[in-house]
Amino acid sequence: MKTIKVDLGKRSYNINIGKGIIYSTGKIIRSVSKCRACFVVSNKDIADLYSGILKRSLIGEGLDVKCFNVAGSESAKSCSSWLRVIRSLARFDKGKGACLVSLGGGVVGDLGGFAAATYRRGIDFVQIPTTLLAQVDAAIGGKAAIDLDFAKNLVGAFYQPRAVISDIGLLKTLPVRQIRNGLSEVIKYAVVFDETLFSYLEKHMADILRLNPRCLEYIISRCSRIKAKVVSIDELEQKGYRSMLNFGHTIGHAIESASSYSGSIHHGEAVAIGMSAAFDISVSIGMARASSAERFKGILKAAGLGYKINRVSPSRVLAATLYDKKTTNGIRRWVLPERIGHGIVCSNVPAGIIRKAVLRLY
Ligand SMILES: NC(=O)c1ccc[n+]([C@@H]2O[C@H](COP(=O)([O-])OP(=O)(O)OC[C@H]3O[C@@H](n4cnc5c(N)ncnc54)[C@H](O)[C@@H]3O)[C@@H](O)[C@H]2O)c1
Ligand SMILES: [Zn+2]
């Protein structure tokens, strides 16, 4: 098992990465929490696969356990399901000092994190991410949120877990489209921070898509290390460093929003298109070379990710791009690649260039 520390002083925690480590969850929780019980939030599909193993590990350490399943995917990040989680948790907890454990992808992680942050002004929380996207990104760094019907992640908190348990063995049941979805965030890290990771992806993409455990452990560890460092430096996204992780997300979120979060396009797929647009913008303003953009398109293709928008109208994507909540004093900041492995934040991108980049996505 590999451990990577997210260094946040007294709130520091480890990301544990390895195959089969879900069997050690009870021991890991015992080492980071004084809780006497665990309230496990999951969804039915994931619980059917893994909650039995998890329960045995927790009970084996003398912990009382209750599992609570939310319905649906992104729709589970709603105010009503947050309330259902809290009500069930409160009925179970009754002075036990429960720890909330999220077992699932980014949806369950975000919802569980927000419930842990808000119940009794914060209880112990552990993330067991079961998607590639959640293992490399969503489960690390303490961003917890639920959606409003017209905007994603609008209600949330920064709330760090006590531990992250990334068992790469859990990815074997993940549909390949979800693997590609997570690879989009892996590519994001590589473009913005890590050319070595980018070259590794170029060399090993076929093995990664075949879920070769050594390759998975390498990319998950590499991304976790980057995210841990970013969060340690700029936990609350106030120094401009954490916002580097938003590469591809301005237009990516706009595409998700313009498709009304219907689930027709996954987060990583939208981010892949958003990263393509960001590369286009960077080339247009004379910052990145066209050859870097070509190399980037090559890796998207190898991962099976597209860079064109289907079914969502350009006017809706442009309108949603302008609504993006990530502005500072009304100024929209763009994370743009200067070259592979190095991104920078730009705030003075002409609107005409953005418009043209969006239109070229069709
Ligand atoms: N908090 C953050 O920093 C952060 C970062 C990135 C994304 N997010 C959020 O994450 C969410 C997307 O997360 P996601 O891509 O993990 O999607 P998800 O949580 O919806 O999971 C995708 C699907 O895979 C299924 N699944 C999960 N694990 C499985 C497994 N091991 N085997 C079989 N099926 C499995 C789920 O049931 C679901 O149907 C979005 O809501 C996004 O906003 C949060
Ligand atoms: Zn993302």
Side-chain angles (χ1 to χ4, degrees):
M1 178 169 82
K2 269 208 172 92
T3 55
I4 293 165
K5 184 177 176 185
V6 182
D7 194 351
L8 292 168
K10 282 185 182 155
R11 292 174 301 114
S12 295
Y13 58 93
N14 282 337
I15 304 160
N16 305 274
I17 302 164
K19 196 165 175 212
I21 61 173
I22 191 172
Y23 291 93
S24 309
T25 303
K27 281 198 173 61
I28 294 172
I29 290 183
R30 276 279 182 229
S31 70
V32 295
S33 171
K34 292 191 170 66
C35 69
R36 280 176 287 138
C38 290
F39 184 81
V40 180
V41 179
S42 192
N43 78 20
K44 187 176 177 314
D45 294 343
I46 304 164
D48 281 352
L49 291 164
Y50 302 114
S51 74
I53 299 170
L54 177 60
K55 251 179 154 170
R56 280 192 290 281
S57 171
L58 297 172
I59 291 167
E61 288 296 316
L63 292 158
D64 197 1
V65 184
K66 176 172 173 61
C67 296
F68 184 91
N69 294 336
V70 291
S73 196
E74 188 67 32
S75 59
K77 275 174 63 172
S78 65
C79 297
S80 56
S81 69
W82 166 76
L83 192 56
R84 277 195 292 275
V85 170
I86 294 284
R87 289 174 74 93
S88 177
L89 170 58
R91 280 196 294 269
F92 168 68
D93 182 32
K94 290 198 183 121
K96 291 191 185 91
C99 168
L100 194 150
V101 179
S102 278
L103 172 71
V107 162
V108 165
D110 279 11
L111 172 70
F114 189 61
T118 45
Y119 176 64
R120 287 183 177 268
R121 299 191 187 87
I123 61 170
D124 287 355
F125 173 49
V126 167
Q127 288 266 27
I128 309 180
T130 62
T131 62
L132 179 60
L133 183 139
Q135 293 193 355
V136 298
D137 191 358
I140 307 164
K143 275 194 186 179
I146 54 174
D147 305 333
L148 294 186
D149 50 358
F150 59 92
K152 246 172 85 96
N153 296 332
L154 213 55
V155 182
F158 283 99
Y159 195 69
Q160 300 295 341
R162 295 275 166 175
V164 178
I165 300 169
S166 291
D167 185 336
I168 59 174
L170 307 187
L171 302 181
K172 69 178 184 295
T173 49
L174 199 59
V176 69
R177 187 173 170 196
Q178 291 295 343
I179 296 289
R180 299 186 203 285
N181 188 44
L183 279 171
S184 179
E185 302 280 8
V186 176
I187 293 167
K188 171 191 82 176
Y189 287 109
V191 171
V192 179
F193 298 103
D194 191 348
E195 192 183 3
T196 305
L197 175 59
F198 195 92
S199 302
Y200 185 90
L201 294 173
E202 287 179 317
K203 200 167 164 203
H204 296 283
M205 188 58 84
D207 286 331
I208 293 167
L209 287 168
R210 269 187 237 113
L211 304 185
N212 175 304
R214 223 154 22 100
C215 295
L216 286 178
E217 192 170 317
Y218 178 85
I219 60 169
I220 293 164
S221 303
R222 198 105 189 166
C223 295
S224 299
R225 196 160 285 124
I226 295 169
K227 181 120 189 212
K229 182 179 166 203
V230 170
V231 170
S232 301
I233 293 172
D234 185 16
E235 181 188 6
L236 303 180
E237 206 165 333
Q238 287 172 337
K239 300 177 187 164
Y241 194 51
R242 188 164 181 168
S243 56
M244 299 292 281
L245 297 173
N246 295 330
F247 172 52
H249 281 61
T250 306
I251 289 175
H253 282 154
I255 296 165
E256 288 183 280
S257 156
S259 62
S260 309
Y261 306 111
S262 59
S264 58
I265 182 153
H266 294 335
H267 176 74
E269 293 166 344
V271 167
I273 299 169
M275 291 190 288
S276 298
F279 248 114
D280 186 344
I281 292 169
S282 187
V283 172
S284 297
I285 62 173
M287 196 163 75
R289 290 184 181 182
S291 57
S292 298
E294 281 310 306
R295 208 175 150 201
F296 169 74
K297 275 191 180 161
I299 206 76
L300 280 194
K301 209 169 153 205
L305 288 158
Y307 43 87
K308 293 280 177 192
I309 305 179
N310 292 315
R311 292 195 291 270
V312 195
S313 83
S315 56
R316 292 189 65 169
V317 174
L318 276 167
T321 302
L322 299 177
Y323 179 72
D324 189 86
K325 70 180 188 292
K326 284 192 172 123
T327 58
T328 312
N329 301 328
I331 298 169
R332 189 156 294 96
R333 296 184 190 283
W334 291 85
V335 182
L336 299 178
E338 195 181 46
R339 57 177 191 276
I340 300 289
H342 188 70
I344 56 175
V345 178
C346 291
S347 52
N348 49 356
V349 182
I353 286 190
I354 295 164
R355 200 184 147 72
K356 277 186 190 152
V358 169
L359 294 178
R360 274 197 287 270
L361 295 171
Y362 286 84

